[in-house]
Amino acid sequence: MAILDVQHIEKHFGATRVLEDISFSLEEGQALSIIGSSGSGKTTLLRCLNFLETPDHGTISVRGETLFDANDPSTQRESDIRKKRLHFGMVFQSFNLFPQYTALQNVTLARELLAKTEHTGDTHEVIQAEGKALLEKMGLADRMDNYPHQLSGGQQQRVAIARALAMKPDILCFDEPTSALDPELTGEVLKVIRSLADQHTTMVIVTHEMAFARDVADYVIFMDGGVIVEQGDPRQVIDNPQEERTRQFLAHYSDQ
């Protein structure tokens, strides 16, 4: 059974069609890369997966449980949205760290709040220990007490990845995780994501790094104009695309 099953997702903003008939599935431990030009619908799709946007049509299921069905109002209750978001960890383009908190506090804050409000049974000591272990995993053992303004962009993004992992999501989502970074800092973040892929972390990665998408992902989707134009094995889609629109898009990157 697929860990993530997305069927016939559509999203419109007024008369503007942003997503149309988006369907795909993802097996546990797989990494999916979504590529496409700016405005193709990639970020909106991620926002629908994380319930930051409500699709106008379609279904989203995780581990066989239907989390959203556009035809079933019972799956759209605002009171349930927060719990549904816990299935997905989100890493944004712009880090979104709290400036008043240290790296470790940024990583552990949501877990601490969840333990208090939902009575998860996690103790402060356990949450702190796991937060420190995650920062060590990100290569930030010596930066735990630093505030965001004391960290480079690459370090901030690695804190954001640790924060998402701290919630133990079923699926980790990245929205252009290197787009806000200087080129020399991009490599350190891609190295972390590559290591997560090697550990079979289930991921959905919106990226403009074509070589990374080809070499790290198990599956790739090319989107244009709100639809899936081509999808399949990354080396097939990126090295030998079948659709003219895909060829045009990839030619633009090879010319840069």
Side-chain angles (χ1 to χ4, degrees):
M1 179 185 294
I3 188 172
L4 174 64
D5 188 41
V6 175
Q7 293 295 321
H8 308 299
I9 290 294
E10 296 187 4
K11 180 65 181 177
H12 299 79
F13 294 113
T16 303
R17 179 194 70 180
V18 183
L19 298 174
E20 183 166 341
D21 199 22
I22 301 295
S23 297
F24 65 91
S25 61
L26 187 62
E27 299 297 321
E28 187 153 15
Q30 284 189 327
L32 163 68
S33 282
I34 304 176
I35 62 174
S37 301
S38 177
S40 61
K42 309 183 302 296
T43 293
T44 299
L45 175 56
L46 274 193
R47 289 177 64 84
C48 286
L49 293 181
N50 284 273
F51 304 100
L52 297 169
E53 299 285 356
T54 302
D56 298 309
H57 186 76
T59 63
I60 300 170
S61 302
V62 173
R63 298 191 186 279
E65 177 189 356
T66 299
L67 300 185
F68 175 84
D69 184 340
N71 295 319
D72 184 355
S74 71
T75 67
Q76 301 171 42
R77 289 190 291 259
E78 189 66 33
S79 58
D80 297 333
I81 294 299
R82 186 172 66 171
K83 284 187 178 180
K84 292 179 180 181
R85 284 190 185 129
L86 295 176
H87 290 282
F88 299 89
M90 187 72 168
V91 180
F92 298 90
Q93 296 180 30
S94 54
F95 323 140
N96 288 5
L97 300 179
F98 293 108
Q100 71 273 32
Y101 294 130
T102 65
L104 181 59
Q105 288 170 330
N106 267 282
V107 170
T108 59
L109 179 64
R111 278 279 301 279
E112 296 274 14
L113 290 174
L114 194 67
K116 291 178 181 177
T117 58
E118 302 295 332
H119 307 293
T120 60
D122 289 333
T123 65
H124 172 74
E125 290 73 22
V126 166
I127 293 170
Q128 291 292 303
E130 292 183 358
K132 290 177 181 178
L134 281 170
L135 286 172
E136 289 174 3
K137 185 178 178 180
M138 296 295 128
L140 296 170
D142 60 340
R143 298 290 186 177
M144 295 188 191
D145 296 325
N146 286 57
Y147 291 88
H149 75 274
Q150 298 171 314
L151 303 173
S152 71
Q155 290 169 337
Q156 290 185 59
Q157 191 61 296
R158 283 183 280 156
V159 172
I161 295 170
R163 177 178 61 184
L165 287 169
M167 300 304 291
K168 303 180 180 178
D170 292 299
I171 301 145
L172 190 58
C173 299
F174 294 88
D175 184 14
E176 299 277 17
T178 61
S179 65
L181 300 176
D182 293 332
E184 63 267 26
L185 299 178
T186 294
E188 66 187 58
V189 172
L190 294 181
K191 182 179 178 181
V192 167
I193 301 174
R194 188 185 297 269
S195 72
L196 292 172
D198 290 342
Q199 296 163 35
H200 303 293
T201 304
T202 309
M203 296 184 287
V204 177
I205 310 163
V206 169
T207 183
H208 60 274
E209 303 283 346
M210 294 303 116
F212 178 78
R214 181 190 61 213
D215 296 340
V216 172
D218 299 288
Y219 200 76
V220 69
I221 286 173
F222 168 60
M223 292 182 64
D224 184 61
V227 301
I228 294 177
V229 175
E230 192 164 351
Q231 60 182 311
D233 178 87
R235 293 187 176 274
Q236 170 66 40
V237 173
I238 294 175
D239 292 341
N240 188 28
Q242 302 301 299
E243 299 294 331
E244 178 60 27
R245 182 66 189 95
T246 316
R247 287 195 286 270
Q248 292 172 354
F249 169 77
L250 292 168
H252 168 75
Y253 274 89
S254 64
D255 291 340
Q256 290 183 330

